[in-house]
Amino acid sequence: MTKAVSGLLPTEEDIYLFHEGTSYHSYRILGAHPAVEDGLEGVRFTVWAPHARHVGLASDFNGWNGAKDSLHKIPESGFWTRFFPGIRTGTFYKFDIEGPHRERFLKADPYAFQAEVRPATASVVTDLSGYHWGDAAWRRKKRGVYGKPVNIYEMHLGTWRQKKDGTLHTYREIADLLIPYLKRMNYTHVEFMPLAEHPYDLSWGYQCTGYYAVTSRYGSPHDFMYLVDQCHQAGIGVILDWVPAHFTKDAHGLRLFDGTPLFEYADPLKAEKPGWGTLSFDYGKPEVRSFLISNALFWLDVFHIDGLRVDAVTSMIRLDFEKNEGHYPLNERGGVENLEAVRFLQQLNTTVFSYYPYTLMMAEESSAWPGVTAPVSENGLGFNYKWNMGWMNDTLDYVEAAFEERPSKHHLLTFPVVYAYSENFALPLSHDEVVHGKKSLLGKMPGTYEQQFAGLRLLLGYQMTFPGKKLLFMGGEFGQFIEWRDQHELDWLLLEYEKHRQLQRYASDLNRLYVEEKALWELDHALEGYEWISPHDASQSVISFMRKGKKQSDTLIVLINFLPVRRERYRIGVPRSGSYVPVFQSEHEMYGGLGASVKGSIETDRIPWHHHKHSLELTLPPLSLIVLKRAAVVRDERTSPPKERRQKRLKKAVKTPPRADRKEIGHHAPVMILQTEEGANET
């Protein structure tokens, strides 16, 4: 007698761990697994359906009637299992379930590794083994990213590019198109909107039915492995949107799976997400925790994913999320926190990091919930990154404002620094901000045609120089004019026009600057990595600050002029004397700007300014970003104007020496309260 393939028939330990909520690889037991048992090739099917009266296998071979092809119930376990000889990979199937009230229905396998191409809904027997990975070098060198550059290109796989007839590219075809583009644009990571199987294209993948099945829209699981593998071999990390917050109500999915609320809460006040028409998982059930945590590890184990962006965390941890009073329960303490969801997220992150310490676990959390990226040991949620929704909302509010309104909104530029170090943040300019009438990033910009492009260059430059990791949704890098259409590819034809080509080059060069300059990421999460030069020039809508690396020589000086007004002889204080050279200017001609205003180097003057002993003077073009760096070799004094002449000229321009009173805002970056310079810089 041939022994069954190891690990397929659930053992007592498997069942115990599943019901304890700690079966972290339950996908190896449940679902459909090709196997050899008693010398026969076939497939073992196992499903959790504790309240079912009967579970059968339904397929083409029995007319989708599983009454006679019964699975066997494992006593006291809620598991149903059976080995079916002769069934091979590629077979379509569902579970034919009789509920506790004798109702019968067909359900897709919650642990299926593949599904039919929509709109068909059957599960598909699939063997995930056999792909030969080539990314061993990538996986060996993986390390933490806190002090590394992370610049993410967020994309929807079906609408990035399409074939001429409007059909979708496969995972393999996308790999050949996407990876050279990501390399040319100097991105470090790509983030795919959800690729778990979902029935409705316009849900964008956020309403799933097959959590273990990579969507068949673009090919097979091996095809997706190829895409990830090729990204890794090209040095690009892969992040996947993951949706444990809710699931769709489609009849073949998880809803009332065995005739009872199994994966969802039994209490409709906790289960229903009325704004989305979906159901919340019951995080209090250990079996649901086994299902979800196993799923997170599944993407890391099987597909070598480098990180998960966890969607809609706020909707998980708040019982009152988007609900009116009286339409949500309170927890046992009388609060609105979903304590079960909090414990689930803590267990999730603890488990993921125990297996994969360098995984990116990013929370899309839109409230002011404290400690999202704090360790679980300190009662935090345990993520290592959080999307900075506050920065995103404040920044977009500011850049969408008419130019004459910007001075009164200056706090939207300065306040985000106050909380920039309260969590480990990523700065998102995501898909959510360019749909549903919100306009594209380019379309948000006020002013003339040229000013819109200058404004978008400024927005991208501001994002790149602000503390935190970066994320940009596809199309923003070349100026998609209309907002994202979720059924059509991006308007690549715009690259036939010079302004869009120039913007694309700008984005590529800006991304390269980010990767090459350590000051923009080395101390991303340390207070000493950022220092204001002047946050107070509201009347002219100019900000200036320093980004710092571990070495003093890496320090960058950043100036941003948010108004379409040229600022002549604009003076800022700098920490060291010497020669400063531009490393990046958004208004360079090659980017479609009015021209670089800093040509060559700028010498400092021994004139106190902005709490520094030295300062320099330059011209700020309208709507411009200028990044300066101190030259490694100090200028030769013999080629400079006499110091006396320079001092005399400056004393004439500034009659009252500047004064600065230093104070701290909270426990964050130091802010200077300046008392004389603003007037001197006004035009």
Side-chain angles (χ1 to χ4, degrees), residues 198-436:
H198 51 284
Y200 186 47
D201 288 356
L202 299 188
S203 77
W204 313 336
Y206 291 100
Q207 297 186 10
C208 306
T209 49
Y211 276 76
Y212 288 83
V214 65
T215 180
S216 54
R217 286 168 174 76
Y218 315 112
S220 71
H222 280 188
D223 294 335
F224 182 55
M225 292 177 190
Y226 174 85
L227 171 57
V228 177
D229 193 9
Q230 293 302 305
C231 284
H232 286 172
Q233 292 185 48
I236 298 166
V238 180
I239 300 168
L240 186 65
D241 269 14
W242 187 58
V243 192
H246 59 144
F247 57 88
T248 181
K249 294 182 178 180
D250 290 61
H252 68 284
L254 300 179
R255 177 178 178 267
L256 299 175
F257 184 78
D258 64 356
T260 70
L262 191 63
F263 289 89
E264 68 269 34
Y265 282 108
D267 180 355
L269 292 180
K270 294 180 74 172
E272 293 286 344
K273 282 189 161 55
W276 298 337
T278 55
L279 294 169
S280 175
F281 282 100
D282 183 348
Y283 307 107
K285 278 184 184 167
E287 297 85 358
V288 170
R289 296 198 300 273
S290 287
F291 174 81
L292 288 173
I293 297 175
S294 295
N295 186 243
L297 290 175
F298 168 79
W299 293 103
L300 307 177
D301 290 340
V302 175
F303 293 106
H304 295 194
I305 296 298
D306 301 290
L308 298 173
R309 178 266 195 183
V310 182
D311 180 64
V313 169
T314 310
S315 77
M316 299 171 64
I317 59 180
R318 291 194 63 93
L319 296 167
D320 62 343
F321 180 78
E322 293 189 353
K323 293 180 179 179
N324 297 322
E325 189 172 353
H327 292 271
Y328 56 86
L330 300 177
N331 63 34
E332 60 263 32
R333 302 174 186 171
V336 297
E337 302 84 7
N338 188 334
L339 302 176
E340 296 161 345
V342 169
R343 287 190 289 268
F344 160 72
L345 291 172
Q346 291 174 329
Q347 183 183 354
L348 165 73
N349 288 315
T350 299
T351 304
V352 167
F353 291 130
S354 71
Y355 284 95
Y356 297 98
Y358 303 121
T359 301
L360 284 164
M361 292 295 288
M362 292 187 167
E364 188 217 12
E365 203 287 302
S366 57
S367 74
W369 189 280
V372 173
T373 60
V376 172
S377 60
E378 298 176 11
N379 203 34
L381 294 185
F383 290 94
N384 52 9
Y385 279 95
K386 172 183 174 177
W387 274 21
N388 193 337
M389 311 296 278
W391 174 88
M392 179 194 72
N393 291 325
D394 285 347
T395 299
L396 293 180
D397 187 5
Y398 182 86
V399 299
E400 290 183 75
F403 297 128
E404 61 270 20
E405 296 175 2
R406 289 187 173 181
S408 66
K409 290 178 172 283
H410 197 72
H411 62 284
L412 297 176
L413 299 175
T414 58
F415 181 66
V417 180
V418 174
Y419 57 84
Y421 298 97
S422 61
E423 302 273 7
N424 298 327
F425 281 124
L427 309 178
L429 293 172
S430 72
H431 68 276
D432 277 329
E433 306 314 308
V434 294
V435 291
H436 301 322

Side-chain angles (χ1 to χ4, degrees), residues 453 478-479 481 494-495 497-504:
F453 279 91
F478 64 81
F481 243 129
L494 291 175
L495 292 174
Y497 300 91
E498 186 178 27
K499 283 290 187 186
H500 295 273
R501 291 196 303 273
Q502 291 171 328
L503 178 61
Q504 188 186 49

